[in-house]
């Protein structure tokens, strides 16, 4: 049937022109369908099929022939083969595409409209892959897409709408002088999505790393880095510039490291802070964003992972009017959360609490927080001296790094103040040796320290997919389990499912808690070494980090492999 050669409006879809050229629509009908589809905010193919204007098969055949693309029947497609997590569910719904297969850097997409070039550019940007298009029928695509999205865990509703995101301006309008240069919609959307995905997956850090030929994004999930995206290399500098603007950094300065902060307001009641660090590397600026969630310190002491006796020791030390509580362990072992959980308990209207931190990671209402700045002479020791003139009840020092800070902290603990701080040592008894090595006399340590907590973080097994592990009794004894533990002992190992990260989800603390009892006090006064103090503490029921980790294994909370990695 011949159609009149009425021209289509320039705003009409490329697919509409294709259907007119294939003699399936008249120009006037095509124009009306385009207008109605836009008005109802649905794809043209969807409108044509739902209104009965054309069949999904006819549209797919015409598009396949016009653009020389393969025609694929989704009825014979196995949905289990769909690449998982490569494209966000929201983008799949928005652009009505279906990932069919991935081969290296190439991604095969099932589409109904091969002319949706802007959608394909956005998908290529988010995946970093070269797209190979195949044409599929609209009705079958919808069924397959619905089946796929039904298997994806629902995200937190507060993460779904990027339009509602609000960022606090850390440096005023001046910080945005070059905003127009980098405020491109794909870059902004990519950065917003990256931040929300990281928060939604409970990541602790985001790494943006440019190299000679690629740029990669990694998230630290449960303590381990995992690669999640490869944005196009030419976009790396623009992504970095966008993040630097949000963090209040100098966008023009690319030769020196910088620090900044982003505050992401998810809802009226929930906000997330991100600490931003930039580093000039050979191929561009590397950015690391530390995600600081204040709610992690408000879960309560029961969420930390203390056993009953350890929890009681910590609460008793917090209840004292004076003394020193020290939390030790390597970087990333959860010391800050342990201290802040204690500060939350102490944070009442009757107490004056001051903290000196480098930097201030989590903002707490009701606590006077000071960020030390050595460049202007404000170090831990200077802040501590100022605190003692401010009528304090509780003082928290981010870290005892030198003799001057240690001496002031000890004197504060001896003169009616409760002092909390951290050190970097491998075990609780070694903390005493470290402080003596700094130059603190044994009698001062004995009269000031009330509790030492050494800790590590172990990855928690996923409760949905962990599986039992059978090991010979002799091997269990060699690992450190006692004869009394073996009857009825069931160990579990990681398996892996769509709800977790390689069989683990979240982390739990393993602690050794050393209260300074009378016997320990006498040992400290006698300058006894760490090994002898540890042996004496074990006689009083002290549990080492190893035994604490094995207890978590016996409870099915973590795996033996994970416990062995803490050593």
């Amino acid at each position: 049937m011949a159609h009149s050669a009425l021209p289509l409006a320039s705003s009409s879809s490329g697919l509409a022109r294709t259907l007119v050229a294939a003699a399936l629509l008249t120009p006037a009908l095509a124009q009306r369908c385009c207008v109605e589809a836009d008005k109802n905010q649905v794809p043209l193919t969807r409108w044509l099929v739902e209104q009965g204007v054309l069949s999904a098969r006819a549209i797919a055949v015409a598009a396949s022939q016009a653009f020389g693309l393969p025609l694929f029947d989704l009825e014979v497609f196995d949905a289990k083969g769909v690449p998982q997590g490569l494209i966000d569910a929201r983008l799949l719904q928005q652009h009505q595409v279906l990932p069919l297969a991935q081969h290296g850097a190439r991604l095969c997409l099932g589409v109904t409209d091969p002319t949706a070039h802007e959608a394909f550019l956005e998908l290529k940007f988010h995946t970093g892959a070269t797209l190979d298009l195949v044409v599929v029928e609209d009705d079958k695509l919808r069924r397959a897409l619905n089946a796929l999205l039904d298997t994806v865990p629902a995200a937190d509703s507060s993460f779904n709408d990027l339009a509602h995101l609000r960022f606090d301006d850390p440096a005023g309008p001046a910080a945005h002088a070059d905003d127009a240069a980098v405020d491109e919609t794909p870059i902004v959307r990519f950065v917003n999505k990256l931040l929300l995905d990281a928060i939604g997956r409970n990541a602790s850090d985001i790494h943006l790393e440019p190299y000679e030929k690629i740029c990669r994004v990694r998230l630290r999930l449960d303590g381990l880095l995992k690669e999640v995206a490869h944005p196009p290399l030419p976009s790396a500098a623009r992504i970095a510039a966008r993040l630097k603007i949000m963090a209040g950094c100098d966008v023009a300065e690319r030769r020196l490291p910088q620090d900044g902060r982003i505050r992401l307001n998810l809802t009226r009641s929930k906000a997330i802070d991100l600490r931003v660090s930039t580093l000039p590397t050979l191929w561009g600026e590397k950015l690391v964003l530390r995600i600081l969630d204040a709610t992690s310190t408000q879960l309560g002491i029961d969420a930390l992972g203390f056993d009953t006796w350890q929890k009681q020791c910590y609460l008793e030390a917090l209840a004292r009017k004076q003394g020193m509580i020290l939390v030790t362990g390597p970087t990333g072992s959860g010391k800050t959360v342990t201290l802040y959980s204690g500060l939350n308990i102490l944070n009442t209207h009757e107490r004056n609490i001051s903290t000196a931190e480098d930097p201030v990671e989590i903002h707490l209402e009701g606590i006077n927080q000071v960020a030390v700045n050595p460049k202007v002479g404000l170090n831990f020791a200077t802040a501590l001296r100022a605190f003692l003139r401010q009528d304090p009840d509780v003082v928290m020092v981010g870290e005892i790094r030198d003799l001057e800070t240690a001496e002031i902290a000890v004197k504060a603990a001896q003169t009616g103040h409760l002092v909390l701080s951290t050190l970097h040592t491998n075990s609780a008894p070694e903390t005493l040796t470290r402080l003596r090595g700094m130059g603190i006399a044994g009698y001062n340590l004995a009269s000031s320290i009330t509790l030492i907590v050494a800790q590590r973080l172990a990855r928690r097994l996923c409760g949905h997919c962990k599986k039992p592990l059978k090991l010979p009794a002799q091997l269990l004894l060699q690992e450190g389990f006692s004869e009394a533990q073996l009857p009825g002992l069931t160990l579990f190992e990681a398996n892996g499912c769509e709800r977790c990260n390689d069989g683990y989800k979240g982390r739990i603390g393993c602690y050794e808690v050393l209260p300074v009892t009378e016997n320990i006090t006498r040992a400290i006064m006698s300058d006894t070494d760490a090994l002898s103090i540890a042996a004496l503490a074990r006689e009083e029921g002290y549990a080492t980090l190893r035994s604490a980790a094995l207890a978590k294994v016996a409870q099915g909370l973590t795996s033996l492999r994970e416990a062995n990695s803490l050593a």
Side-chain angles (χ1 to χ4, degrees):
M1 179 176 65
H3 293 296
S4 58
L6 292 174
L8 274 173
S10 60
S11 60
S12 297
S13 136
L15 180 64
R17 296 173 181 276
T18 300
L19 297 175
V20 170
L24 295 175
L25 295 176
T26 65
L29 179 57
Q31 184 67 39
R32 286 200 303 272
C33 290
C34 287
V35 171
E36 290 298 321
D38 287 341
K39 185 185 299 183
N40 289 274
Q41 296 184 334
V42 296
L44 177 62
T45 51
R46 176 76 45 81
W47 177 259
L48 293 171
V49 173
E50 289 182 344
Q51 299 302 313
V53 178
L54 290 173
S55 69
R57 179 71 180 176
I59 297 171
V61 170
S64 172
Q65 293 174 349
F67 297 101
L69 296 174
L71 179 62
F72 184 72
D73 186 0
L74 287 176
E75 292 288 351
V76 299
F77 178 66
D78 183 4
K80 295 180 180 178
V82 172
Q84 295 289 330
L86 189 61
I87 302 178
D88 185 75
R90 179 186 54 79
L91 289 177
L92 295 179
Q93 289 177 314
Q94 177 184 343
H95 299 309
Q96 289 295 295
V97 298
L98 182 68
L100 300 176
Q102 184 180 17
H103 303 286
R106 307 190 74 85
L107 176 65
C108 181
L109 279 184
V111 304
T112 59
D113 183 359
T115 67
H117 300 299
E118 290 186 5
F120 302 145
L121 284 174
E122 184 175 5
L123 293 169
K124 183 177 180 180
F125 178 81
H126 283 289
T127 61
T130 300
L131 303 183
D132 296 323
L133 305 182
V134 299
V135 180
V136 297
E137 296 161 61
D138 180 75
D139 51 353
K140 294 178 181 178
L141 172 68
R142 276 183 281 167
R143 288 196 295 270
L145 200 52
N146 288 338
L148 172 64
L149 296 178
D150 284 343
T151 65
V152 178
D156 188 320
S157 60
S158 63
F159 299 156
N160 289 339
D161 190 357
L162 298 181
H164 289 126
L165 288 180
R166 295 293 180 268
F167 298 93
D168 283 358
D169 188 348
H176 298 266
D178 297 325
D179 205 354
V182 295
D183 192 13
E184 307 167 45
T185 299
I187 297 294
V188 172
R189 292 186 66 85
F190 176 82
V191 169
N192 289 357
K193 179 182 179 299
L194 173 63
L195 299 182
L196 292 182
D197 282 353
I199 294 168
R201 297 176 68 177
N202 293 318
S204 61
D205 300 88
I206 306 170
H207 292 240
L208 175 70
E209 302 166 308
Y211 295 97
E212 182 179 10
K213 297 181 179 179
I214 65 165
C215 175
R216 69 177 178 181
V217 176
R218 294 190 291 173
L219 302 181
R220 189 172 292 279
L221 301 168
D222 299 331
L224 298 180
L225 284 170
K226 186 173 183 179
E227 212 166 90
V228 295
H230 286 91
L233 187 58
S235 302
R238 289 179 289 162
I239 295 171
R242 172 64 181 170
L243 288 167
K244 288 171 67 177
I245 284 174
M246 293 164 63
C249 297
D250 183 354
V251 180
E253 179 56 76
R254 301 182 181 89
R255 301 166 300 173
L256 295 173
Q258 296 186 66
D259 294 309
R261 199 177 188 98
I262 298 172
R263 187 169 182 83
L264 171 57
N265 298 305
L266 298 177
T267 66
R268 290 182 179 179
S269 59
K270 182 175 176 63
I272 299 289
D273 287 323
L274 299 102
R275 194 179 77 211
V276 181
S277 172
T278 75
L279 180 70
T281 69
L282 187 61
W283 305 110
E285 283 186 290
K286 174 185 176 180
L287 273 74
V288 175
L289 289 76
R290 168 65 58 88
I291 300 173
L292 309 170
D293 185 0
T295 59
S296 64
T297 66
Q298 298 170 359
L299 297 176
I301 192 171
D302 292 324
L304 295 178
F306 285 123
D307 65 28
T308 303
W309 180 80
Q310 292 172 338
K311 171 185 170 183
Q312 187 61 32
C313 289
Y314 191 36
L315 290 175
E316 288 177 358
L318 290 171
R320 295 194 179 190
K321 296 293 185 181
Q322 68 179 55
M324 184 185 297
I325 300 173
L326 296 174
V327 182
T328 77
T331 300
S333 60
K335 299 187 300 295
T336 300
V337 173
T338 300
L339 283 181
Y340 272 86
S341 297
L343 288 177
N344 270 324
I345 294 173
L346 297 170
N347 189 14
T348 64
H349 295 296
E350 294 80 23
R351 292 188 179 94
N352 176 22
I353 303 176
S354 297
T355 72
E357 304 168 66
D358 183 20
V360 175
E361 293 194 352
I362 298 172
H363 298 158
L364 288 181
E365 192 75 27
I367 293 178
N368 308 292
Q369 298 174 276
V370 175
V372 300
N373 186 357
K375 292 180 180 178
V376 299
L378 180 59
N379 54 25
F380 284 121
T382 305
L384 262 177
R385 287 195 187 93
F387 290 166
L388 297 179
R389 294 192 291 270
Q390 291 271 316
D391 185 30
D393 296 299
V394 180
V395 171
M396 196 271 271
V397 186
E399 182 183 347
I400 294 178
R401 299 174 179 172
D402 51 57
L403 175 59
E404 185 180 16
T405 305
E407 286 180 335
I408 300 172
V410 166
K411 290 177 182 176
Q414 292 172 329
T415 56
H417 308 94
L418 181 62
V419 180
L420 291 79
S421 190
T422 71
L423 277 91
H424 290 286
T425 60
N426 292 325
S427 68
E430 288 179 33
T431 303
L432 298 167
T433 306
R434 171 74 184 279
L435 290 170
R436 281 205 300 263
M438 283 185 179
I440 304 297
Y443 60 85
N444 279 330
L445 294 177
S447 62
S448 59
I449 298 177
T450 55
L451 186 74
I452 304 174
V453 178
Q455 68 180 81
R456 302 288 190 277
L457 288 179
R459 290 185 294 168
R460 187 192 290 265
L461 283 168
C462 173
H464 294 94
C465 67
K466 66 180 181 181
K467 58 183 181 181
L469 173 66
K470 292 185 177 181
L471 294 175
Q474 188 60 35
L475 180 57
L476 292 175
L477 292 173
Q478 291 175 1
E479 289 289 347
F481 291 100
S482 65
E483 289 277 4
Q485 289 177 294
L486 295 187
L489 178 64
T490 302
L491 272 61
F492 293 88
E493 63 179 341
N495 187 24
C497 67
E498 71 279 358
R499 304 189 186 190
C500 63
N501 301 310
D502 302 322
Y504 297 93
K505 187 172 181 62
R507 291 193 287 178
I508 189 168
C510 297
Y511 302 90
E512 59 179 27
V513 175
L514 177 64
V516 179
T517 62
E518 291 184 8
N519 289 335
I520 301 295
T521 298
R522 283 193 289 269
I524 296 172
M525 295 281 287
S526 303
D527 286 337
T528 306
D529 60 80
L531 291 176
S532 299
I533 291 176
L536 180 60
R538 280 194 295 271
E539 295 176 4
E540 299 184 349
Y542 161 81
T544 63
L545 276 169
R546 175 64 178 174
S547 60
L550 291 179
K552 297 293 189 295
V553 174
Q555 295 168 32
L557 297 175
T558 191
S559 65
L560 184 58
R561 182 187 297 272
E562 182 69 9
N564 288 336
S565 71
L566 301 181

